[in-house]
């Protein structure tokens, strides 16, 4: 099992976490490393293991509690592991899968866990699995069902990449499957059959013609999206196929509920067989909440709209103020070129360290 | 191993062959059964095994030789095994995978092999594997490379379904793969990427708008086709995919060479990345050849154009007259509802029996 030094520079710790591969569903090794490091190097914390999630908390009797949550998993490897470092000083950069999404945030939280034995607020750390896949597998959802008392608090900070700026709210996400049906026949006599792959031409045309909304809420700008994420069909090389499938991911601004988003997609794909396979609501910015506003101030007052869906929405649904705050440019997440400025990791560590110890 | 009685009614023998599953690549069991039945019940034949093909021939010193060829494999099972029988007398019907394509033809050939020890022509029987998949795996092609002396003769009869009518010539077939490329990005920020699945909208539009040619040759009508047979793409549920694929099968009339067909497809899909993955030429009707004309006359003079590609084209390329003649409606081949009239099996057995023993 890799050994992690939680007291080291959070940039070094990020690099160490990046080099432990942890594609969704394969987080056992990184979870073991995080658990054993917390037990050995943060003895002031109560630590529990839940599947491939690791939870830790103080119980100092403080009047308020802050939850710091980060997922340990990544999207599939794309020629971008192991990580590497370039530059130095202000120009130092970490490259590789997870540098942005979101081992920089995890490293900051782990560093705070080991180095702040007496925080101003009680703190709960949640390192969890399967954020990058279907909502039903999400480790935070499992914790919500199995260990709900661990998620309560007065403010949640999700360490997803936000350019080291507070990001408020998040967009909802919905995955649908559109299925076409046909009739099999030999391709030499195609007029006897009906081609289910050809029947995808029209839904693909609608997708390419789709104009996503741009929505303003509380002065923040949310930009929606509608993207095919999977297509499949075919029987064999000389058979007109009788079934095909198009999976689509919709990202919707938090002024719409999942029900409204589903209604919208049913209108877009009117006439086709559409099934919702996965859905997570967005979260309104919630900047009026005192604890959120206090953190925004501590970070210098800058705030932006969160476009990606993050588990901020889960905490919002629990009735807690919740924001995103983590190192890394979210537009680089899930790309082969994923990389983060070391300075952003240090900035997040500094702001949160000040917020929790002041 | 299933036991086959080659001397029984060819309809019963068809039913027995249908109930031995033999999807392409999995023909060992049926080839074993055919080989052992020929060795036991047709001792006048020289029998050889080649992979999952079985060959048998007379060497009686006749002035001419007829090759009877049938493939043993089927397309994938589609809820249509085991077979069943309905009706009786003139209304008797066999249902199930392979009843049409082409265990009825195989059964007639096997029956002739066991019951005509002294045919008028020397006869070569070829029962082979992997006709329903890529040309490179075709068992007859392997035999052509490894046992070329077994394929020579004055007339080839391929027992593919032809409504028990002589069918002349066949269309060519070509499979292409069209690939689209894009740039991965998180679906929440899709404008940072480029969606390779969306890029399939235009080739699919061209496919659905395509008007296939209808070509007259020697008074026979060939109807072309262009059909998607496979589509695929996708990385994960929240990633804009950077690669997608569309596989297309083109059936072309025998007035075009494979080179001309490829040129045509490159025009149809101009602007896209197209690779030819599989190609087989068609065969012109060739009704002027004396041996073919003699068989046509023996069968009552009726003749039609063959639309599907069959291994007739391989024999045509070897310089032999070659026709299709087998029981079953070719428009039912590769459909779940595959079924054949028992009377057609008996008609083919009677015509060929007369042709070979007269």
């Amino acid at each position: 099992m890799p050994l992690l030094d939680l007291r080291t520079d959070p940039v070094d710790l990020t690099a160490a976490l990046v080099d432990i591969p942890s594609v969704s569903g394969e987080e056992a090794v990184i979870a073991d490393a995080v658990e054993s490091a917390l037990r050995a190097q943060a003895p002031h914390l109560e630590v529990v293991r839940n599947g491939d999630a690791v939870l830790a908390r103080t119980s100092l009797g403080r009047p308020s509690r802050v939850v710091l949550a980060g997922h340990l998993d990544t999207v599939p490897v794309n020629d971008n592991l192991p990580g590497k470092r370039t530059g130095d000083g202000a120009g130092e950069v970490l490259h590789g899968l997870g540098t942005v999404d979101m081992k920089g945030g995890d490293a900051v939280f782990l560093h705070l866990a080991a180095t702040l034995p007496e925080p101003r607020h009680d703190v709960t750390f949640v390192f969890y699995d399967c954020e990058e896949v279907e909502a039903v597998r999400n480790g935070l959802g499992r914790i919500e069902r199995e260990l709900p008392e661990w998620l309560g608090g007065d403010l949640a900070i999700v360490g997803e990449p936000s350019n080291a700026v507070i990001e408020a709210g998040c967009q909802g996400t919905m995955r649908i499957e559109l299925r076409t049906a046909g009739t099999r026949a030999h391709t030499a006599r195609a007029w006897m059959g009906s081609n289910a792959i050809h029947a995808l031409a029209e839904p693909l045309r609608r997708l390419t013609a789709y104009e996503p909304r741009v929505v303003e809420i509380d002065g923040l700008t949310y930009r929606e999206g509608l993207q095919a994420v999977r297509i499949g069909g075919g029987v064999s090389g000389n058979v007109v196929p009788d079934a095909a499938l198009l999976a689509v991911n919709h990202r919707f601004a938090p002024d719409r509920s999942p029900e409204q988003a589903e209604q919208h997609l049913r209108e877009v794909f009117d006439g086709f067989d559409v099934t919702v396979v996965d859905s997570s609501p967005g979260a309104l910015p919630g900047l009026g909440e005192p604890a959120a506003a206090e953190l925004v101030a501590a970070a210098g007052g800058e705030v932006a709209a969160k476009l990606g869906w993050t588990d901020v929405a889960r905490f919002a649904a629990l009735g807690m103020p919740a924001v995103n705050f983590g190192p890394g440019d979210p537009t680089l997440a899930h790309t082969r070129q994923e990389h983060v400025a070391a300075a952003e990791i240090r900035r997040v560590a500094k702001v949160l360290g000040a917020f929790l110890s002041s």
Side-chain angles (χ1 to χ4, degrees), chain A:
Chain A
M1 185 174 62
L3 294 178
L4 298 172
D5 179 356
L6 306 187
R7 291 167 188 281
T8 189
D9 177 6
V11 176
D12 294 337
L13 183 52
T14 300
L17 291 170
V18 165
D19 284 344
I20 306 174
S22 58
V23 174
S24 307
E26 298 167 9
E27 301 95 334
V29 172
I30 199 169
D32 288 350
V34 164
E35 179 185 1
S36 88
L38 284 171
R39 290 191 190 280
Q41 299 167 46
H44 59 285
L45 297 179
E46 175 191 3
V47 176
V48 302
R49 175 73 175 253
N50 176 277
D52 282 333
V54 182
L55 300 94
R57 67 183 172 193
T58 62
S59 293
L60 300 167
R62 302 289 194 253
S64 59
R65 176 175 291 277
V66 175
V67 180
L68 301 178
H71 64 83
L72 296 171
D73 61 318
T74 69
V75 293
V77 183
N78 188 12
D79 275 338
N80 50 6
L81 275 188
K84 55 184 182 182
R85 300 171 77 149
T86 59
D88 51 25
E92 188 177 8
V93 174
L94 270 61
H95 305 260
L97 177 63
T99 50
V100 167
D101 191 9
M102 58 163 281
K103 291 179 174 177
D106 292 330
V108 169
F109 294 170
L110 285 165
H111 182 75
L112 294 172
T115 58
L116 280 184
E118 297 203 344
R120 186 169 68 93
H121 306 278
D122 268 313
V123 184
T124 304
F125 298 93
V126 182
F127 302 99
Y128 62 100
D129 53 302
C130 285
E131 192 271 346
E132 297 289 7
V133 288
E134 319 87 85
V136 68
R137 293 173 61 192
N138 184 295
L140 198 59
R142 186 185 66 244
I143 293 165
E144 194 178 331
R145 292 188 300 275
E146 299 179 5
L147 299 170
E149 71 281 9
W150 276 80
L151 297 187
D154 302 279
L155 171 66
I157 301 172
V158 176
E160 291 276 354
S162 64
N163 295 308
V165 170
I166 300 290
E167 289 189 336
C170 77
Q171 297 205 120
T173 179
M174 176 168 290
R175 291 188 187 89
I176 61 167
E177 287 181 355
L178 183 155
R179 290 172 195 278
T180 52
T183 308
R184 287 194 201 184
H186 195 297
T187 49
R189 294 168 209 90
W191 61 92
M192 305 291 297
S194 164
N195 193 315
I197 293 176
H198 293 196
L200 288 178
E202 172 60 18
L204 278 179
R205 187 197 66 75
R206 294 186 196 175
L207 263 182
T208 56
Y210 185 80
E211 296 279 353
R213 292 194 308 159
V214 176
V215 182
E216 301 279 330
I217 305 173
D218 288 1
L220 303 176
T221 302
Y222 295 90
R223 192 167 170 182
E224 297 191 331
L226 189 66
Q227 292 287 317
V229 290
R230 184 161 47 94
I231 196 165
V235 176
S236 76
N238 56 3
V239 176
V240 175
D242 58 352
L245 176 146
L246 178 67
V248 176
N249 184 208
H250 179 42
R251 302 289 174 141
F252 54 96
D255 64 332
R256 274 191 180 158
S257 68
E259 293 72 25
Q260 290 168 321
E262 177 179 346
Q263 180 57 31
H264 173 63
L265 293 186
R266 291 194 181 281
E267 286 162 13
V268 170
F269 294 114
D270 185 39
F272 289 90
D273 171 20
V274 165
T275 308
V276 174
V277 291
D278 187 25
S279 168
S280 300
L284 287 164
L287 294 178
E289 298 290 341
E294 180 188 344
L295 179 67
V296 170
E302 201 180 348
V303 67
K306 183 74 180 175
L307 298 176
W309 190 88
T310 82
D311 281 323
V312 159
R314 294 181 185 271
F315 290 104
L318 293 175
M320 293 165 68
V323 298
N324 297 280
F325 184 42
D329 178 351
T331 67
L332 293 172
H334 302 201
T335 70
R336 185 180 296 191
Q337 300 76 22
E338 204 174 330
H339 61 269
V340 65
E344 290 199 6
I345 298 172
R346 295 198 176 97
R347 169 170 154 78
V348 172
K350 186 176 170 190
V351 168
L352 289 180
F355 173 67
L356 290 173
S357 58
S358 65

